[in-house]
């Protein structure tokens, strides 16, 4: 029997190692950011928490901005995963309205966390079009399940707009509104939009 | 009879002249921006259209960024004036729902024009908190007239969010949606919100 050739998409042991390394760094950085806030997290602290040298950190991410952009991306991916396949009501298995409300609450909290990350990521911090499309398609899908008729892409965009980072930051930091009040306001908006059909 | 003292808030002839000068420059710059787009408008063109020297322009506004920030502010003030005291349905005299819809359409168009001005104004281009408050209070007032109950500041914020510059620019330039479609989508949103009470 001939020796098996390695499959094309099977990473070499070296690459698999680098990838594990990268995941460990991102996980450590995200934990630190969530625990202490972006401003408090230094490259030294991330290197130490991930058990790698500071040189490795800079080799992989070029700069603190580069690392924060990767952390932002990682956080977005984890959130998308919990929407697609996490426990209900954010994930599948709950009624569409409960899912939509859970989506808004969790997006609101995520965006508030992401404000500081976006700034720390500098020029690379603009949220990707792919991330925006995901949120839009999810909301559209749930509106469809709820029997809402009309221009669903635009309605989805209208429901997502109040959750955007600058708006939520202005409400929380500028107008001293609490997250509970903002969540309740979003629920009211959604219920009004859905009830109209 | 003693000679009348000048009233405190009566500008000296010199100051009145400078103010007229400033208004003429802003009016000329705004006309040029509306006719040709921000990118095409040079300091030379503004000086020539306003009938002043280029030196005067730089003395009054320091830089092209400074001029564009002043134009942005002027455009915002003119728009507010038309909401407060212009002809209906944007101004007073029309039913509240008609006013609210006219407000959205005109704000949408204004924000799309303002995107380029905000970028050209650089660091001074952030829309003032005062301008945001004006829009919010106006929408709140109309929602109240329409008998909408609930957290009106938050509902107003939710209705204004989809009209914000980055969102409208993404819809128009990123997703190739026409202004008519976006206006119709906003109407639908407003009617759903209002109908629920």
């Amino acid at each position: 029997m001939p020796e098996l050739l390695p499959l094309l998409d099977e990473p070499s042991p070296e690459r698999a190692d680098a990838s594990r390394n990268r995941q460990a760094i991102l996980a450590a950085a995200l934990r630190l950011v969530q625990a202490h806030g972006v401003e408090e997290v230094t490259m030294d602290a991330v290197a130490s928490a991930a058990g790698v040298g500071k040189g490795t950190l800079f080799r992989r991410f070029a700069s603190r901005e580069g690392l924060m952009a990767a952390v932002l991306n990682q956080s977005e991916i984890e959130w998308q995963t919990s929407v697609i396949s996490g426990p209900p009501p954010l994930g599948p298995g709950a009624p569409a309205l409960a899912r939509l409300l859970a989506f808004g609450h969790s997006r609101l909290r995520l965006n508030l966390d992401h404000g500081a990350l976006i700034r720390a990521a500098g020029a690379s911090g603009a949220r990707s079009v792919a991330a925006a499309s995901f949120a839009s398609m999810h909301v559209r899908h749930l509106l469809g399940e709820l029997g809402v008729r009309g221009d669903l892409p635009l309605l989805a965009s209208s429901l997502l707009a109040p959750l955007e980072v600058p708006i939520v930051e202005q409400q929380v930091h500028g107008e001293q509104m609490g997250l509970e009040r903002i969540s309740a306001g979003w629920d009211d908006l959604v219920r009004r939009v859905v009830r109209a059909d």
Side-chain angles (χ1 to χ4, degrees), chain A residues 14 31-32 69 82 101 106 111 127 147 155 158-159 180 182:
Chain A
E14 214 173 340
R31 268 198 315 274
L32 286 174
S82 64
L101 298 179
S106 109
N111 279 353
R127 177 165 286 152
L155 269 180
S158 294
L159 292 180
E180 295 227 342
I182 303 172

Side-chain angles (χ1 to χ4, degrees), chain A residues 17-191:
Chain A
D17 207 50
S19 164
R20 267 195 303 276
N21 208 301
R22 187 184 159 84
Q23 286 309 311
I25 294 171
L26 290 180
L30 189 51
R31 268 198 315 274
L32 286 174
V33 162
Q34 284 165 348
H36 305 290
V38 174
E39 288 78 6
E40 302 299 317
V41 177
T42 62
M43 292 298 262
D44 278 320
V46 174
S48 153
V52 301
K54 209 171 152 188
T56 307
L57 211 55
F58 278 99
R59 244 191 335 275
R60 292 221 187 286
F61 298 100
S63 63
R64 186 170 183 278
E65 290 198 349
L67 173 63
M68 291 305 174
V71 169
L72 182 65
N73 192 48
Q74 178 69 15
S75 166
E76 189 81 34
I77 287 170
E78 285 179 13
W79 178 77
Q80 290 186 9
T81 306
S82 64
V83 172
I84 294 169
S85 57
L90 182 58
L97 182 58
R99 285 198 77 190
L100 185 52
L101 298 179
F103 169 91
H105 301 167
S106 109
R107 186 82 202 159
L108 181 65
R109 200 166 286 276
L110 190 82
N111 279 353
L112 201 56
D113 287 347
H114 280 186
L117 267 176
I118 287 171
R119 282 186 291 277
S124 335
R127 177 165 286 152
S128 74
V129 172
S133 300
F134 170 80
S136 167
M137 297 213 317
H138 184 66
V139 171
R140 246 183 272 180
H141 166 73
L142 293 177
L143 289 176
E145 286 207 340
L146 285 162
V148 173
R149 278 161 304 181
D151 192 334
L152 296 194
L154 260 171
L155 269 180
S157 172
S158 294
L159 292 180
L160 286 166
L163 305 175
E164 286 293 327
V165 174
I167 289 166
V168 176
E169 287 195 331
Q170 168 60 22
Q171 289 173 331
V172 170
H173 304 304
E175 293 161 41
Q176 318 294 329
M177 290 182 179
L179 267 188
E180 295 227 342
R181 179 175 169 194
I182 303 172
S183 281
W186 198 77
D187 287 6
D188 180 36
L189 176 71
V190 168
R191 289 178 196 279

